[in-house]
Amino acid sequence: QVQLVESGGGLVQAGGSLRLSCVASGSIFSINAMGWYRQAPGKQRELVARMILGSSTNYADSVKGRFTISRDNAKNTVYLQMNSLKPEDTAVYYCNANIHTAAWAVGDYWGQGTQVTVSS
């Protein structure tokens, strides 16, 4: 069993900042990648930012230069620093992780989501 727990969402005015956190816990052998997705009302879930261990970091074009993803490997935690927030960033933000629970077992896991609302 793996659990991802997000925190840090809330209501902020346009131009403001928020920092999201996601902690992975449970039967973790190794973490291959962690990232953030979001889903606005009536829209499909989309990638915001993703970090692959020892490799690249990917950002959606719409957040490049404003959002920064980082990880604390010792704490199995991923962060999303969101600056210069816009009303169109309003969505439920989900943490995602690709985790080995054993050397032979790997899967994708999701958090419960945290609401981010940006007022104009």
Side-chain angles (χ1 to χ4, degrees):
Q1 279 280 15
V2 172
Q3 297 82 38
L4 301 181
V5 178
E6 303 111 331
S7 61
L11 173 64
V12 64
Q13 288 189 331
S17 298
L18 283 174
R19 188 192 194 208
L20 305 183
S21 300
C22 171
V23 181
S25 63
S27 301
I28 298 172
F29 179 76
S30 65
I31 299 178
N32 305 312
M34 295 188 80
W36 294 91
Y37 289 72
R38 67 186 181 187
Q39 187 166 19
K43 295 188 177 181
Q44 289 188 332
R45 190 173 298 189
E46 64 175 1
L47 172 70
V48 177
R50 190 167 186 256
M51 179 179 285
I52 300 173
L53 181 64
S55 183
S56 60
T57 300
N58 299 318
Y59 291 94
D61 288 343
S62 59
V63 307
K64 284 180 180 177
R66 300 187 298 121
F67 291 9
T68 303
I69 188 171
S70 60
R71 281 174 62 170
D72 184 333
N73 293 326
K75 297 181 179 179
N76 290 338
T77 300
V78 65
Y79 304 97
L80 185 68
Q81 178 65 43
M82 305 185 294
N83 298 329
S84 302
L85 282 160
K86 304 175 181 180
E88 50 263 44
D89 294 318
T90 295
V92 178
Y93 283 69
Y94 296 91
C95 179
N96 169 266
N98 185 265
I99 294 175
H100 272 93
T101 54
W104 59 89
V106 62
D108 266 350
Y109 298 87
W110 293 89
Q112 80 286 354
T114 185
Q115 177 70 47
V116 171
T117 302
V118 184
S119 62
S120 57

